[in-house]
Amino acid sequence: MKITLKDGSSKEFESGLSALDIVKGISQGLAKAAVAVKVDGETHELNTVINSDCELIVLTFDDEEGRKIYRHTTSHILAQAVKRLFPEVKLAIGPSIDNGFYYDFDSEISFNPEMLAKIEKEMNKIISENIPLKRFTLPRDQAIEFMEKRGEPYKVELIRDLPEDEVISFYEQGDFVDLCAGLHLISTGRVRAVKLTSCTGAYWRGDSSKKMLQRIYGTSFPKAEELKVYLEQVEEAKKRDHNKLGRELELFTTSDIIGQGLPIMLPKGARVIQLLQRFVEDEEQKRGWQLTKTPLMAKSDLYKLSGHWDHYLDGMFVLGDPEKDDEVFALRPMTCPFQYQAYLSKARSYRDLPLRYNETSTLFRNEASGEMHGLIRVRQFTISEGHLMCTREQLESEFQKCLELAIYMMKTLGLYEDITYRFSQWDPNDKEKYIGTPEQWEASQSMMKRILDDLGIEYKIGIGEAAFYGPKLDIQIKNVHGKEDTLITIQIDELLAEKFGMEYTDKDGKKKNPCIIHRTSLGCYERTLALLIEKYAGAFPLWLAPVQVKVLPISEKQLEYAKSISDKLLNMGYRVEVDDRSEKIGYKIREAQLQKIPNMLICGDNEIADSTVSVRSRKNGDLGAMKLEELAAKLAHEVEIKEI
């Protein structure tokens, strides 16, 4: 049989060989690194027998799909190790994730760090045993009976949720068997380096009304050196974690008596967000956006008209009882239906379009407690939101302008290199989640695909990630721990204008519904602040630093001079503090460095005599003595160009 390889070359092999044997015939080194293969575009395990001509692509750990398979198998090794050590533990689920894997267990034993070390040792033993993984299937009824006999109630529940005619697959490795759709490595010995990293609580199936389980996280790599590098990166990530660093630098705090997901911005954090908001609003104004200010709540009637009441109610904070009260209000989860009322405030013509409304919007979303994390995901947040009404002919150019604005923001903040794009589409198998017909969705998605392709945007497709009213381009970014979130969205909406009766009179005198683009230019300010803290390890660029200059008198004798320097800089518009404590200058410098202050101005007798300051830069070290005017010019240039 002829096997065509990825590079287009081909080789002849006897039929009936396993994929692994074929790969060995290509390269022993490649066979050692192989995780799985794609046969004519379909992924298979290495023990798959090939009987006919085909195209064969070898997947390794370097491929995203290969990494998932590799770490999925490692999660099974974890489960086998736990069952060996603690047979009474019940198994839940164990998938691969971006940076590793986890497995959920129902256990009376607390998996503390000492226990994790013991489990990890057993995992390495299982790896050294090089146990083959073998797939087998059972009809649904037999699968339920099989898992009931093994005392695995969570697996039974999962099987019962599957269709009655489903054939259920399992993977066996020695004395361990797990319910699993696959795919897997062909043996445990193909895993090389493994590390268990933590254990947390996790509700069964993510439902807070169900039992709390224990979730063990870990990661694995083909080489010990790769694992070492990754663990070093994790330690660096912990140092940059905005939840830790943001509190240490007094940017924000939280209070149990206020509630989860409701952070308090302290003066420094509030200042950074204010600077970001001013920057965004000024830039949007230059690009033709008109600022609105709309209410934080509305009657349920508005949300029923928009569709949020039917499609987003679980994510909203409702004020009142829909069953009893004549009027029920809800805090707004987004601004679109409010800005539509601004559009509807008077009759519109094609000459009014495109009409661009922007708003610095405070929004409220009822996030699940397990989903919230520092400033990344909160229940009350502020967003750089906007809605643009235009004709169909204007849609592509306006979409491009929205994207250009978002890219400009990311480049200015230094986040552009960290972003990726996701084309979020509807799930045609879950029509209840959306408004509109399949034909309308197909038209909107086809149009958006053409726009994205014309712009040369490289994107992944996210099925089921669309808004309930239209497809969107999500600009994605990862925090220091590798967790991906959406930072900015640009959405096409061809449905809500008609629902709200939004019209314009076209050139031909006919009434038409405008197309709508929902967009953010910077996204959620709190999330952006979190990402900036992590990106710069708290050392913000000068133009964003909450304190730009710290004046450090050597002793009390120079305090009056230091305050005069501070007053002059304050009058120039800089954010300045004076360290007037009776501490040694070395201590003051160290404190300012720990606070990530961009510039320290040291004032001693020589500086007073010469009417100068000794400048110490966070970035460039000791810059020597400068006249205040010289320093101010340097700072002004750095702020003006928004140097990062």
Side-chain angles (χ1 to χ4, degrees), residues 20-82:
L20 180 58
D21 287 335
I22 292 171
V23 178
K24 285 178 179 177
I26 299 168
S27 162
Q28 286 291 335
L30 184 59
K32 189 176 180 182
V35 169
V37 291
K38 280 188 176 290
V39 180
D40 290 336
E42 188 175 338
T43 308
H44 292 274
E45 290 160 350
L46 290 174
N47 53 12
T48 300
V49 174
I50 298 176
N51 291 304
S52 59
D53 296 354
C54 66
E55 180 189 54
L56 186 136
I57 296 172
V58 180
L59 297 177
T60 69
F61 188 84
D62 292 335
D63 301 295
E64 182 180 353
E65 192 173 358
R67 279 194 299 278
K68 288 182 177 179
I69 292 169
Y70 190 98
R71 287 168 169 165
H72 189 183
T73 299
T74 319
S75 77
H76 277 227
I77 295 172
L78 165 59
Q80 184 177 16
V82 169

Coordinates of all heavy atoms in Angstrom, one line a residue, residues 20-82:
L20 N 2.1 2.7 14.1 CA 3.4 2.9 14.7 C 4.5 2.2 13.9 O 5.6 2.7 13.7 CB 3.4 2.3 16.2 CG 4.7 2.4 16.9 CD1 5.2 3.9 17.0 CD2 4.6 1.8 18.3
D21 N 4.2 1.0 13.4 CA 5.2 0.3 12.6 C 5.5 1.1 11.3 O 6.7 1.1 10.9 CB 4.7 -1.1 12.2 CG 4.7 -2.1 13.4 OD1 5.5 -1.8 14.3 OD2 3.9 -3.0 13.4
I22 N 4.5 1.7 10.7 CA 4.7 2.5 9.5 C 5.6 3.7 9.9 O 6.6 4.0 9.1 CB 3.4 3.0 8.9 CG1 2.6 1.8 8.4 CG2 3.6 4.0 7.9 CD1 1.2 2.1 7.9
V23 N 5.3 4.3 11.0 CA 6.1 5.5 11.4 C 7.6 5.1 11.7 O 8.5 5.8 11.3 CB 5.5 6.2 12.7 CG1 6.4 7.4 13.1 CG2 4.1 6.7 12.4
K24 N 7.8 3.9 12.3 CA 9.1 3.4 12.5 C 9.8 3.2 11.2 O 11.1 3.4 11.1 CB 9.1 2.0 13.2 CG 8.7 2.2 14.7 CD 8.7 0.8 15.4 CE 8.4 0.9 16.9 NZ 8.2 -0.5 17.5
G25 N 9.1 2.8 10.2 CA 9.7 2.6 8.8 C 10.1 4.0 8.2 O 10.9 4.0 7.3
I26 N 9.5 5.0 8.7 CA 9.8 6.4 8.2 C 11.0 6.9 8.9 O 12.0 7.4 8.4 CB 8.6 7.3 8.3 CG1 7.4 6.8 7.5 CG2 9.0 8.7 7.9 CD1 6.1 7.5 7.8
S27 N 11.0 6.8 10.3 CA 12.1 7.3 11.1 C 11.9 6.8 12.5 O 10.8 7.0 13.1 CB 12.0 8.9 11.1 OG 12.8 9.4 12.2
Q28 N 12.9 6.2 13.1 CA 12.9 5.7 14.5 C 12.7 6.9 15.5 O 12.0 6.8 16.4 CB 14.2 4.9 14.8 CG 14.3 3.6 14.2 CD 13.2 2.6 14.7 OE1 12.8 2.7 15.9 NE2 12.9 1.6 13.9
G29 N 13.4 8.0 15.2 CA 13.2 9.2 16.0 C 11.8 9.7 16.0 O 11.3 10.1 17.1
L30 N 11.2 9.7 14.9 CA 9.8 10.2 14.8 C 8.9 9.2 15.5 O 7.9 9.7 16.2 CB 9.4 10.3 13.3 CG 8.0 10.9 13.0 CD1 7.8 12.3 13.6 CD2 7.7 10.9 11.5
A31 N 9.1 7.9 15.4 CA 8.3 6.9 16.1 C 8.4 7.1 17.6 O 7.4 6.9 18.3 CB 8.8 5.5 15.7
K32 N 9.6 7.5 18.1 CA 9.7 7.7 19.5 C 8.9 8.9 20.0 O 8.4 8.9 21.1 CB 11.2 7.9 19.8 CG 11.6 7.9 21.3 CD 13.1 8.0 21.5 CE 13.4 8.0 23.0 NZ 14.9 8.1 23.2
A33 N 8.9 9.9 19.1 CA 8.1 11.2 19.5 C 6.6 11.1 19.2 O 5.9 11.9 19.7 CB 8.8 12.3 18.8
A34 N 6.2 10.1 18.4 CA 4.8 10.0 17.9 C 3.9 9.9 19.1 O 4.1 9.1 20.0 CB 4.7 8.9 16.9
V35 N 2.7 10.6 19.0 CA 1.7 10.5 20.0 C 0.4 9.8 19.3 O -0.2 8.9 19.9 CB 1.3 11.9 20.5 CG1 0.0 11.8 21.3 CG2 2.4 12.4 21.3
A36 N 0.2 10.2 18.1 CA -1.0 9.6 17.4 C -0.7 9.9 15.9 O 0.3 10.5 15.5 CB -2.3 10.2 17.8
V37 N -1.7 9.5 15.0 CA -1.6 9.8 13.6 C -2.9 10.3 13.1 O -4.0 10.0 13.6 CB -1.1 8.6 12.8 CG1 0.3 8.2 13.1 CG2 -2.1 7.4 13.0
K38 N -2.8 11.1 12.0 CA -4.0 11.4 11.2 C -4.0 10.6 9.9 O -3.0 10.6 9.2 CB -4.0 12.9 10.9 CG -4.5 13.8 12.0 CD -4.6 15.2 11.5 CE -5.2 16.1 12.6 NZ -6.6 15.9 12.9
V39 N -5.0 9.8 9.7 CA -5.1 9.0 8.5 C -6.3 9.6 7.7 O -7.4 9.6 8.1 CB -5.5 7.5 8.9 CG1 -5.6 6.7 7.6 CG2 -4.4 7.0 9.8
D40 N -5.9 10.1 6.5 CA -6.8 10.8 5.7 C -7.6 11.9 6.5 O -8.9 12.0 6.3 CB -7.8 9.8 5.0 CG -7.0 9.0 3.9 OD1 -6.0 9.5 3.4 OD2 -7.5 7.9 3.6
G41 N -6.9 12.6 7.3 CA -7.5 13.7 8.1 C -8.2 13.3 9.4 O -8.6 14.2 10.2
E42 N -8.3 12.0 9.6 CA -9.0 11.5 10.9 C -8.0 11.0 11.9 O -7.1 10.2 11.5 CB -10.0 10.4 10.6 CG -10.9 10.0 11.8 CD -11.9 9.0 11.4 OE1 -12.3 9.0 10.2 OE2 -12.4 8.3 12.3
T43 N -8.1 11.5 13.1 CA -7.0 11.1 14.1 C -7.3 9.7 14.7 O -8.4 9.3 15.0 CB -7.1 12.1 15.3 OG1 -7.0 13.5 14.7 CG2 -5.9 11.9 16.2
H44 N -6.2 9.0 14.8 CA -6.2 7.6 15.3 C -5.0 7.4 16.2 O -4.0 8.1 16.2 CB -6.1 6.6 14.1 CG -7.3 6.6 13.2 ND1 -8.4 5.8 13.5 CD2 -7.6 7.2 12.0 CE1 -9.3 6.0 12.5 NE2 -8.8 6.9 11.6
E45 N -5.2 6.3 17.0 CA -4.1 5.9 17.9 C -3.0 5.2 17.2 O -3.3 4.7 16.1 CB -4.7 5.1 19.1 CG -5.5 6.0 20.0 CD -6.5 5.1 20.9 OE1 -6.7 3.9 20.6 OE2 -7.1 5.7 21.8
L46 N -1.9 5.1 17.8 CA -0.7 4.5 17.1 C -0.9 3.0 16.8 O -0.2 2.4 15.9 CB 0.6 4.7 17.9 CG 1.1 6.2 17.9 CD1 2.2 6.3 18.9 CD2 1.4 6.6 16.5
N47 N -1.8 2.3 17.5 CA -1.9 0.9 17.3 C -3.0 0.6 16.2 O -3.3 -0.6 16.0 CB -2.3 0.1 18.6 CG -3.5 0.8 19.3 OD1 -4.2 1.6 18.7 ND2 -3.7 0.4 20.6
T48 N -3.5 1.6 15.6 CA -4.5 1.4 14.5 C -3.8 0.7 13.3 O -2.8 1.1 12.9 CB -5.0 2.8 14.1 OG1 -5.6 3.4 15.2 CG2 -6.0 2.6 12.9
V49 N -4.5 -0.3 12.8 CA -4.0 -1.1 11.7 C -4.5 -0.4 10.4 O -5.6 -0.1 10.2 CB -4.5 -2.6 11.7 CG1 -4.1 -3.3 10.5 CG2 -4.0 -3.3 13.0
I50 N -3.5 -0.3 9.5 CA -3.8 0.4 8.2 C -3.7 -0.6 7.1 O -2.7 -1.3 6.9 CB -2.8 1.6 8.0 CG1 -3.0 2.6 9.1 CG2 -3.0 2.2 6.6 CD1 -2.1 3.8 9.1
N51 N -4.7 -0.7 6.2 CA -4.8 -1.7 5.2 C -4.8 -1.2 3.8 O -4.8 -2.0 2.8 CB -6.1 -2.6 5.4 CG -6.0 -3.4 6.7 OD1 -5.1 -4.2 6.9 ND2 -6.9 -3.2 7.6
S52 N -4.9 0.1 3.6 CA -5.0 0.6 2.2 C -4.3 1.9 2.1 O -3.8 2.5 3.1 CB -6.5 0.8 1.9 OG -7.1 1.7 2.8
D53 N -4.1 2.4 0.8 CA -3.5 3.6 0.6 C -4.1 4.8 1.4 O -5.4 4.8 1.5 CB -3.6 4.0 -0.9 CG -2.9 3.0 -1.8 OD1 -2.2 2.1 -1.3 OD2 -3.0 3.1 -3.1
C54 N -3.3 5.7 1.8 CA -3.8 6.8 2.6 C -2.8 7.9 2.8 O -1.6 7.7 2.5 CB -4.3 6.3 4.0 SG -2.9 5.8 5.1
E55 N -3.2 9.1 3.2 CA -2.3 10.1 3.6 C -2.1 10.0 5.1 O -3.1 9.9 5.9 CB -2.9 11.5 3.3 CG -2.0 12.6 3.7 CD -2.7 14.0 3.6 OE1 -3.8 14.2 4.1 OE2 -2.1 14.9 2.9
L56 N -0.9 10.0 5.6 CA -0.6 9.8 7.0 C 0.2 11.0 7.5 O 1.3 11.3 7.0 CB 0.1 8.5 7.2 CG 0.4 8.1 8.7 CD1 0.1 6.6 8.9 CD2 1.8 8.4 9.1
I57 N -0.3 11.6 8.6 CA 0.4 12.7 9.3 C 0.7 12.3 10.7 O -0.3 11.8 11.4 CB -0.4 14.0 9.2 CG1 -0.6 14.5 7.8 CG2 0.3 15.1 10.1 CD1 -1.5 15.7 7.7
V58 N 1.9 12.4 11.2 CA 2.3 12.0 12.5 C 2.1 13.2 13.5 O 2.6 14.3 13.2 CB 3.7 11.5 12.5 CG1 4.1 11.1 14.0 CG2 3.9 10.4 11.6
L59 N 1.3 12.9 14.5 CA 1.2 14.0 15.6 C 2.2 13.7 16.7 O 2.3 12.6 17.2 CB -0.3 13.9 16.1 CG -1.4 14.2 15.2 CD1 -2.7 14.1 15.8 CD2 -1.2 15.6 14.6
T60 N 2.8 14.8 17.1 CA 3.7 14.7 18.3 C 3.2 15.6 19.4 O 2.2 16.3 19.2 CB 5.2 15.1 17.9 OG1 5.2 16.5 17.6 CG2 5.6 14.3 16.7
F61 N 4.0 15.7 20.4 CA 3.6 16.6 21.5 C 3.7 18.1 21.1 O 3.0 18.9 21.7 CB 4.6 16.4 22.7 CG 4.3 17.1 24.0 CD1 3.4 16.6 24.9 CD2 4.8 18.4 24.3 CE1 3.0 17.3 26.0 CE2 4.5 19.1 25.4 CZ 3.6 18.5 26.3
D62 N 4.4 18.4 20.0 CA 4.4 19.7 19.5 C 3.1 20.2 18.9 O 2.9 21.4 18.7 CB 5.6 19.9 18.5 CG 6.9 19.7 19.1 OD1 7.1 20.0 20.3 OD2 7.9 19.4 18.4
D63 N 2.3 19.2 18.5 CA 1.0 19.6 18.0 C -0.1 19.7 19.1 O 0.0 18.9 20.1 CB 0.5 18.5 17.0 CG 1.4 18.3 15.9 OD1 1.6 19.2 15.1 OD2 2.1 17.2 15.8
E64 N -0.9 20.7 19.0 CA -1.9 20.9 20.1 C -2.8 19.6 20.3 O -3.0 19.3 21.5 CB -2.9 22.1 19.7 CG -3.9 22.4 20.7 CD -4.8 23.5 20.4 OE1 -4.6 24.2 19.3 OE2 -5.8 23.8 21.1
E65 N -3.2 19.0 19.2 CA -4.0 17.8 19.4 C -3.2 16.7 20.0 O -3.6 15.9 20.9 CB -4.5 17.3 18.0 CG -5.6 16.2 18.1 CD -6.2 15.9 16.8 OE1 -5.9 16.6 15.8 OE2 -7.1 15.0 16.8
G66 N -1.9 16.6 19.7 CA -1.0 15.6 20.3 C -0.8 15.9 21.8 O -0.8 14.9 22.6
R67 N -0.6 17.1 22.2 CA -0.5 17.4 23.6 C -1.7 17.0 24.4 O -1.6 16.5 25.5 CB -0.3 18.9 23.8 CG 1.2 19.4 23.6 CD 1.4 20.8 24.1 NE 0.6 21.8 23.4 CZ 0.9 22.3 22.2 NH1 1.9 21.9 21.6 NH2 0.1 23.2 21.7
K68 N -2.9 17.2 23.8 CA -4.1 16.9 24.5 C -4.2 15.4 24.7 O -4.6 14.9 25.8 CB -5.4 17.3 23.7 CG -5.6 18.9 23.8 CD -6.8 19.3 23.0 CE -7.0 20.8 23.1 NZ -8.2 21.2 22.4
I69 N -3.8 14.6 23.7 CA -3.9 13.1 23.8 C -2.8 12.7 24.9 O -3.1 11.9 25.8 CB -3.6 12.5 22.5 CG1 -4.7 12.7 21.5 CG2 -3.3 11.0 22.6 CD1 -4.4 12.4 20.1
Y70 N -1.6 13.3 24.8 CA -0.6 12.9 25.8 C -1.0 13.2 27.2 O -0.8 12.3 28.1 CB 0.7 13.8 25.4 CG 1.9 13.4 26.1 CD1 2.9 12.7 25.5 CD2 2.2 13.9 27.4 CE1 4.1 12.4 26.1 CE2 3.4 13.6 28.0 CZ 4.4 12.8 27.4 OH 5.6 12.5 28.0
R71 N -1.6 14.3 27.4 CA -2.0 14.7 28.8 C -3.3 14.0 29.3 O -3.5 13.8 30.5 CB -2.0 16.2 28.9 CG -0.6 16.8 28.9 CD -0.6 18.3 28.7 NE 0.7 18.8 29.0 CZ 1.1 20.1 28.6 NH1 0.3 20.9 28.0 NH2 2.3 20.5 28.9
H72 N -4.1 13.7 28.3 CA -5.3 12.9 28.6 C -4.9 11.5 29.2 O -5.4 11.1 30.2 CB -6.2 12.7 27.4 CG -7.5 12.2 27.7 ND1 -8.4 11.9 26.7 CD2 -8.1 11.8 28.8 CE1 -9.5 11.3 27.2 NE2 -9.4 11.3 28.5
T73 N -3.9 10.9 28.6 CA -3.4 9.7 29.1 C -2.8 9.8 30.5 O -3.0 9.0 31.3 CB -2.4 9.1 28.1 OG1 -3.0 8.8 26.8 CG2 -1.8 7.8 28.6
T74 N -2.1 11.0 30.7 CA -1.5 11.2 32.0 C -2.6 11.3 33.0 O -2.4 10.9 34.2 CB -0.6 12.5 32.0 OG1 0.1 12.5 30.8 CG2 0.3 12.5 33.1
S75 N -3.7 11.9 32.7 CA -4.8 12.0 33.7 C -5.3 10.6 34.1 O -5.7 10.4 35.2 CB -6.0 12.8 33.1 OG -6.8 12.1 32.2
H76 N -5.3 9.6 33.1 CA -5.7 8.3 33.4 C -4.6 7.6 34.4 O -5.0 6.8 35.2 CB -5.8 7.5 32.2 CG -7.2 7.6 31.5 ND1 -7.9 6.6 31.0 CD2 -7.9 8.7 31.2 CE1 -9.1 7.0 30.5 NE2 -9.1 8.3 30.6
I77 N -3.4 7.9 34.1 CA -2.3 7.4 35.0 C -2.5 8.0 36.4 O -2.3 7.2 37.4 CB -0.9 7.8 34.4 CG1 -0.7 7.1 33.1 CG2 0.2 7.5 35.4 CD1 0.6 7.6 32.4
L78 N -2.9 9.3 36.5 CA -3.2 9.8 37.8 C -4.3 9.1 38.5 O -4.2 8.7 39.7 CB -3.6 11.3 37.7 CG -4.3 12.0 38.9 CD1 -3.4 11.9 40.1 CD2 -4.6 13.4 38.5
A79 N -5.4 8.8 37.8 CA -6.6 8.1 38.3 C -6.2 6.7 38.8 O -6.6 6.2 39.8 CB -7.7 8.1 37.3
Q80 N -5.4 6.0 38.0 CA -4.9 4.7 38.3 C -4.1 4.7 39.6 O -4.2 3.8 40.5 CB -4.1 4.0 37.2 CG -3.7 2.6 37.5 CD -3.0 1.9 36.3 OE1 -2.6 2.6 35.4 NE2 -2.9 0.6 36.3
A81 N -3.2 5.7 39.7 CA -2.4 5.8 40.9 C -3.2 6.0 42.2 O -3.0 5.4 43.2 CB -1.4 6.9 40.7
V82 N -4.2 6.9 42.0 CA -5.1 7.2 43.2 C -5.9 5.9 43.6 O -6.0 5.6 44.8 CB -6.1 8.4 42.9 CG1 -7.2 8.5 43.9 CG2 -5.3 9.7 42.7

